[in-house]
């Protein structure tokens, strides 16, 4: 059962009226009491119902979607898949962007669910403790997407460690022995770290080192260019770079052309995601293709099935991936 104001009041050892004041007029409550109530809200996983009174029982026709970025084409394509399926059934999406901030993610989830969303789609399986409690207590369908693992409800994604292993195997099969993994801000982009762990596993099994370079900026073309310079400066023996995404890899290839570095003769370059731009540069990019729009469509279909009371064949869906061998590695 979803936690109530009474549950919060009991946890905070205050009255329900005090909890209501914290929610509606926080400035009227002493800071110490307010902090105790806010801590209790997080602890019990309470979500305020914004559709109060007669509207509280109304069924909304929107589905909340929370993603880490709206500037990344990866998530734009996922959203396209979600929207195309939800609109067929008369639902619209309410979209939130976390900028890879788990605190912001929790606030978005709390707000969206408070408006009685019919369902929730959220990226990833890692959330802060308060968000996890909210998700566990919420009774409506939830799809955690982009990766595979133990989910609260529905899970649709791909095996990121195996994607890292797949590319590492390919690079080894091409004869490369000094392979560097390059990513950006892996504390936020932890799925890139999962791929690195798979990559490292294969290299270490082959008796090789698995050096890692982590850039401060998230993966744009300029960051990839800077990463290529950094690899050349500190690891001149490197003969291949396994980038965490295609943006970084594309930036590195374009920069290599400016510097007169031959790809793959002087250094091989590989990426992840299978973005169109990687196939429109020369040499075209060797990468792992992830079925982004399919993730959105499958997630939406599973949620609609749940909303319509239909049985799901499975709560977890592995969408897989494809190795695309281009000219760059």
């Amino acid at each position: 059962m979803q936690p109530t104001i009474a549950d919060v009041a009991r946890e905070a050892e205050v009255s329900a009226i005090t909890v209501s004041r914290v929610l509606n007029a926080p400035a009227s409550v002493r800071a110490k009491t307010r902090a105790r109530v806010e801590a209790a809200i997080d602890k019990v996983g309470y979500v305020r119902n914004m559709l109060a009174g007669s509207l509280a029982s109304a069924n909304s026709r929107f589905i909340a979607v929370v993603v880490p970025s709206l500037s990344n084409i990866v998530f734009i394509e996922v959203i396209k898949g979600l929207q195309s399926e939800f609109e067929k059934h008369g639902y619209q999406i309410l979209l939130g962007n976390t900028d890879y901030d788990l605190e912001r993610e929790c606030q978005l989830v709390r707000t969206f669910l408070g408006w009685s969303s019919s369902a929730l789609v959220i990226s990833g399986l890692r959330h802060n403790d308060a968000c996890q409690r909210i998700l566990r207590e919420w009774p409506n369908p939830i799809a955690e997407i982009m990766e595979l693992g133990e989910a609260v409800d529905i899970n649709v994604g791909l095996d990121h460690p195996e994607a890292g292993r797949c590319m590492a195997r390919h690079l080894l099969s091409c004869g490369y022995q000094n392979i560097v993994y390059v990513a950006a801000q892996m504390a936020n982009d932890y799925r890139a770290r999962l791929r690195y762990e798979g990559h490292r596993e294969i290299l270490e099994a082959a008796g090789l080192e698995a050096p890692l370079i982590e850039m401060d900026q998230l993966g744009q073309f300029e960051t990839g260019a800077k990463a290529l310079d950094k690899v050349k400066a500190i690891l001149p023996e490197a003969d291949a770079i396994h980038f965490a995404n295609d943006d970084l890899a594309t930036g590195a290839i374009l920069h290599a052309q400016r510097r007169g570095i031959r790809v793959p003769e002087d250094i091989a370059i590989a990426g992840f995601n299978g973005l169109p731009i990687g196939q429109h540069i020369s040499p075209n990019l060797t990468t792992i293709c992830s079925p982004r729009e399919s993730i959105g469509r499958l997630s939406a279909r599973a949620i609609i099935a749940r909303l319509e009371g239909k049985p799901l064949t499975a709560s977890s869906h592995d969408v897989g991936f494809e190795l695309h061998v281009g000219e760059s590695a």
Side-chain angles (χ1 to χ4, degrees):
M1 182 180 296
Q2 194 168 353
T4 65
I5 282 182
D7 296 321
V8 175
R10 186 163 46 252
E11 178 65 32
E13 298 181 344
V14 298
S15 68
I17 292 175
T18 299
V19 176
S20 181
R21 286 174 180 161
V22 169
L23 294 172
N24 294 292
S28 69
V29 183
R30 289 187 306 166
K32 186 175 180 180
T33 302
R34 187 169 67 245
R36 195 161 77 245
V37 171
E38 289 171 346
I41 287 171
D42 282 345
K43 185 172 181 180
V44 304
Y46 172 74
V47 174
R48 183 183 184 187
N49 190 337
M50 305 300 291
L51 298 177
S54 62
L55 292 177
S57 62
N59 292 321
S60 73
R61 298 297 295 181
F62 70 80
I63 293 172
V65 176
V66 179
V67 297
S69 173
L70 291 177
S71 62
N72 189 330
I73 190 174
V74 169
F75 298 104
I76 298 301
E77 292 181 3
V78 171
I79 292 164
K80 179 182 178 183
L82 289 166
Q83 188 170 30
S84 64
E85 291 295 324
F86 285 143
E87 286 186 348
K88 291 178 185 177
H89 295 83
Y91 290 91
Q92 295 294 329
I93 63 174
L94 183 63
L95 187 60
N97 170 29
T98 71
D99 284 327
Y100 294 93
D101 184 331
L102 294 185
E103 291 297 326
R104 185 174 181 180
E105 176 187 77
C106 185
Q107 291 303 315
L108 283 169
V109 167
R110 193 188 301 279
T111 299
F112 286 171
L113 302 195
W115 285 103
S116 295
S117 171
S118 294
L120 169 68
V121 180
I122 189 167
S123 296
L125 294 165
R126 300 186 189 186
H127 319 287
N128 68 21
D129 291 343
C131 189
Q132 287 281 16
R133 282 189 286 270
I134 291 171
L135 298 181
R136 285 196 298 267
E137 296 293 339
W138 199 56
N140 291 11
I142 298 171
E144 292 169 282
I145 65 172
M146 306 306 293
E147 64 183 293
L148 294 178
E150 185 175 348
V152 173
D153 188 7
I154 299 164
N155 177 216
V156 181
L158 59 97
D159 187 335
H160 287 270
E162 182 57 28
R165 295 185 198 105
C166 178
M167 184 58 76
R169 292 189 196 101
H170 169 71
L171 294 173
L172 288 176
S173 73
C174 292
Y176 302 111
Q177 294 288 296
N178 297 294
I179 306 168
V180 185
Y181 189 90
V182 174
Q185 294 187 6
M186 288 198 297
N188 294 325
D189 187 9
Y190 69 87
R191 285 180 286 277
R193 179 166 291 279
L194 292 177
R195 294 192 294 277
Y196 169 66
E197 291 170 358
H199 163 99
R200 182 179 60 189
E201 178 186 322
I202 295 301
L203 265 60
E204 290 180 348
L208 301 173
E209 294 184 358
L212 167 67
I213 289 179
E214 186 171 2
M215 305 298 288
D216 293 333
Q217 295 175 298
L218 282 175
Q220 303 298 324
F221 296 161
E222 182 181 357
T223 307
K226 291 178 179 177
L228 177 61
D229 286 340
K230 192 169 185 178
V231 169
K232 283 293 187 180
I234 66 177
L235 294 167
E237 71 279 9
D239 55 9
I241 307 176
H242 180 182
F243 280 101
N245 60 57
D246 285 1
D247 288 332
L248 289 169
T250 298
I253 289 175
L254 295 174
H255 187 57
Q257 292 173 349
R258 291 191 292 269
R259 284 194 52 185
I261 298 171
R262 298 173 302 163
V263 178
E265 291 84 359
D266 298 329
I267 193 163
I269 290 177
F272 173 84
N273 272 324
L275 301 185
I277 191 168
Q279 305 312 309
H280 292 282
I281 57 174
S282 182
N284 62 56
L285 183 62
T286 292
T287 187
I288 296 285
C289 299
S290 59
R292 299 171 296 279
E293 191 170 335
S294 293
I295 289 175
R297 288 183 179 276
L298 286 171
S299 303
R301 289 169 187 166
I303 283 177
I304 294 298
R306 285 283 311 281
L307 290 172
E308 294 180 349
K310 298 175 182 176
L312 291 178
T313 56
S315 60
S316 182
H317 304 266
D318 184 350
V319 298
F321 57 82
E322 181 181 350
L323 171 65
H324 171 78
V325 179
E327 300 163 342
S328 68

